[in-house]
Amino acid sequence: MFDSGGIVQAVAAVAYQLASLDRSVDDRTRIDLIRALEELKSSCAAAQVKATADLDASRRAAHAAAGVPPPQRGRGVGAEVALARRTSPYWGGRHLGLAKALVHEMPSTLALLESGVLSEWRATLLVRETACLSRADRAVADRELCADPDRLYGLGDKALIALVRSVVARIDVEAVVRRNSNAVTDRRVSVRPAPDTMSNLSALLPVRDGVAVYATLRRDADSVIAHGDKRTRSQIMADLLVRRVTGLDSPKAAPITVNLVVSDQSLLAGGTEPAHIPGFGPIPAAVARDWIATASDPESEEALLMRRIYANPATGAMTATESTARRFPAGLARWFEIRDRTCRTPYCGAPIRHNDHIEPHENGRATTAENGAGLCEACNHAKQAPGWTSRRVDSARGGLHRYVFTTPTGHRYRSTAPPLPRPLPVRIDYYRPVEKILVDFNAAA
Ligand SMILES: [Zn+2]
């Protein structure tokens, strides 16, 4: 039970063997090998599932023994799993949920994962589609679907989902209705980059709302076309969406600010280093220049506000911003948004929601940019679980901001701020510490 390194070494030895497999085999053997490796991947997933569920149980027991209130027991486990699997806390939470469902409620499905009949993804589909059932009903569905491995033979993912849904609906039709009404709570709007400096803005809405928004845009676009507009219907619908949501059609709407971080070289000297929109990602330098030129035009409905950011020209580390350096903590949010861009937890990448003290405020540590980092909500939450500590690392002069944190198992992870866009190379006698320009890009006048 207390073998601390043996099983991990055994797994590493298997990985080593796989890396040096004999490749001079016939084609029949190659097909057999591909199948065997596929089954091994499923077995690995099953082993991870059991280790994850066991970690959760052990941590919950420890929290209970330490007097942690029930709702907070198990806090941070998903984040630890995410760090170990080199994935985001969102996926860490999903992996944890999958593990608990398989180990505690769906033993037949877990057995098929272990034997390689099901892949991790297909096991995830089974867990997801039965999540609306009670524990007892889920066990019935688990047996019915997975007790006989041949039941799922040859089914594609869509057919598998359809089969599970039909079984679920037969076991508890009420649960399906409940699930549909719960789905409304998942409504959301998100934005992510698309190729060619475009973005995908998507909204997950109840069907009535989604259809109503689309039908309204389409109807009004048709009326614009009827008045002789030469744009396509798709273009007009997209333009109408932007104008209405940003309030450009309403004179009373407050202006919306889009921040853009661009190096002086890209802005002034035709440089090619991409600019960066905090919370979104990079955009090409030429596009940023074009935006700024448009916004600087006095005829434009867009207004422009420049703010300089001071950065180390060699490393890109941020050292100060023009207007916030002496206004902590009010200016701290902007500071973290620009310096950290996204949550500082490795692999996370979620938008920053909290400005966190690296070393706790209660211990008398200062509220400064050096002792702070931007975190998303989930990571800030995980960090408050018992056994998590973090420590500032004094960066070399002008280096990027760094800190390390330790999880309850004693594993250490480091977090380094990304470099800002590279500034113009300047001769030292001309050097002034104004090397970065942040543009507050107002989308409305
Ligand atoms: Zn995070």
Side-chain angles (χ1 to χ4, degrees):
M1 179 180 175
F2 296 108
D3 171 7
S4 51
I7 51 173
V8 175
Q9 276 169 10
V11 172
V14 172
Y16 180 79
Q17 277 188 334
L18 288 176
S20 49
L21 274 187
D22 180 12
R23 290 168 64 186
S24 58
V25 293
D26 61 17
D27 286 351
R28 191 186 167 80
T29 309
R30 290 189 178 113
I31 290 292
D32 289 340
L33 180 62
I34 289 169
R35 166 61 68 89
L37 289 170
E38 192 60 32
E39 293 183 348
L40 179 61
K41 283 199 281 184
S42 294
S43 309
C44 289
Q48 269 185 326
V49 152
K50 285 182 277 188
T52 303
D54 293 346
L55 173 71
D56 180 69
S58 139
R59 188 59 47 76
R60 281 174 186 281
H63 283 178
V68 174
Q72 288 169 24
R73 290 177 196 163
R75 189 191 255 189
V77 174
E80 289 181 72
V81 171
L83 286 163
R85 292 187 65 153
R86 298 198 178 113
T87 187
S88 71
Y90 170 81
W91 281 104
R94 293 275 299 255
H95 291 312
L96 176 59
L98 176 79
K100 284 157 69 175
L102 286 174
V103 169
H104 302 307
E105 300 178 17
M106 302 181 72
S108 303
T109 308
L110 178 59
L112 293 193
L113 183 64
E114 272 167 349
S115 62
V117 173
L118 281 174
S119 67
E120 184 177 31
W121 171 242
R122 282 159 74 82
T124 306
L125 293 178
L126 280 154
V127 167
R128 186 185 81 190
E129 295 298 329
T130 54
C132 58
L133 294 174
S134 70
R135 202 182 172 107
D137 284 345
R138 202 180 205 182
V140 174
D142 174 59
R143 265 196 310 280
E144 179 166 345
L145 288 159
C146 293
D148 172 13
D150 286 340
R151 177 98 201 249
L152 307 176
Y153 179 83
L155 293 183
D157 286 353
K158 277 189 183 151
L160 176 67
I161 292 170
L163 172 66
V164 182
R165 285 185 180 173
S166 71
V167 168
V168 166
R170 205 181 58 244
I171 293 174
D172 183 0
V173 71
E174 289 288 309
V176 178
V177 176
R178 271 200 309 278
R179 175 161 77 179
N180 289 344
S181 58
N182 280 343
V184 174
T185 60
D186 288 337
R187 64 189 184 278
R188 62 178 173 271
V189 176
S190 55
V191 65
R192 60 182 197 283
D196 303 326
T197 336
M198 301 293 277
S199 58
N200 270 309
L201 174 76
S202 41
L204 183 66
L205 300 172
V207 64
R208 202 179 53 187
D209 294 347
V211 170
V213 169
Y214 189 82
T216 308
L217 290 173
R218 194 179 164 101
R219 180 197 66 198
D220 296 354
D222 282 345
S223 114
V224 172
I225 289 171
H227 284 84
D229 198 296
K230 290 284 176 278
R231 291 171 292 171
T232 66
R233 182 190 285 116
S234 299
Q235 289 167 345
I236 296 172
M237 287 172 70
D239 295 346
L240 283 175
L241 177 75
V242 172
R243 293 191 71 87
R244 288 177 181 177
V245 173
T246 57
L248 278 177
D249 280 346
S250 151
K252 274 179 282 181
I256 302 297
T257 299
V258 177
N259 289 328
L260 185 66
V261 184
V262 57
S263 80
D264 48 3
Q265 171 147 320
S266 289
L267 182 62
L268 306 171
T272 54
E273 186 174 17
H276 184 89
I277 301 178
F280 179 80
I283 62 163
V287 174
R289 276 196 294 276
D290 194 44
W291 279 13
I292 292 164
T294 313
S296 311
D297 179 354
E299 303 279 294
S300 166
E301 8 176 62
E302 294 153 344
L304 191 67
L305 199 153
M306 295 264 191
R307 181 190 306 274
R308 279 168 294 194
I309 301 172
Y310 298 72
N312 183 301
T315 61
M318 184 161 143
T319 54
T321 80
E322 181 183 61
S323 60
T324 57
R326 282 173 296 278
R327 285 202 291 133
F328 295 148
L332 217 49
R334 181 186 291 277
W335 175 281
F336 292 136
E337 190 177 70
I338 299 165
R339 186 194 66 188
D340 297 345
R341 298 189 185 179
T342 57
C343 174
R344 283 286 294 273
T345 303
Y347 316 109
C348 181
I352 293 171
R353 294 278 181 262
H354 294 270
N355 306 316
D356 187 60
H357 283 88
I358 294 169
E359 295 178 15
H361 196 50
E362 304 90 88
N363 300 359
R365 297 300 180 176
T367 300
T368 63
E370 267 299 300
N371 189 38
L375 290 181
C376 75
E377 198 158 351
C379 291
N380 188 46
H381 206 61
K383 188 177 174 280
Q384 288 161 18
W388 288 67
T389 56
S390 48
R391 183 170 60 75
R392 287 194 295 165
V393 178
D394 286 329
S395 39
R397 196 175 143 74
L400 297 170
H401 181 257
R402 290 190 302 157
Y403 70 94
V404 293
F405 60 98
T406 308
T407 60
T409 48
H411 289 85
R412 291 176 63 199
Y413 301 91
R414 68 174 184 279
S415 170
T416 307
L420 287 168
R422 298 282 159 168
L424 274 174
V426 284
R427 278 177 45 192
I428 197 71
D429 47 336
Y430 292 131
Y431 175 72
R432 283 175 303 134
V434 185
E435 296 296 339
K436 292 291 170 298
I437 297 171
L438 166 72
V439 180
D440 285 345
F441 184 90
N442 282 350

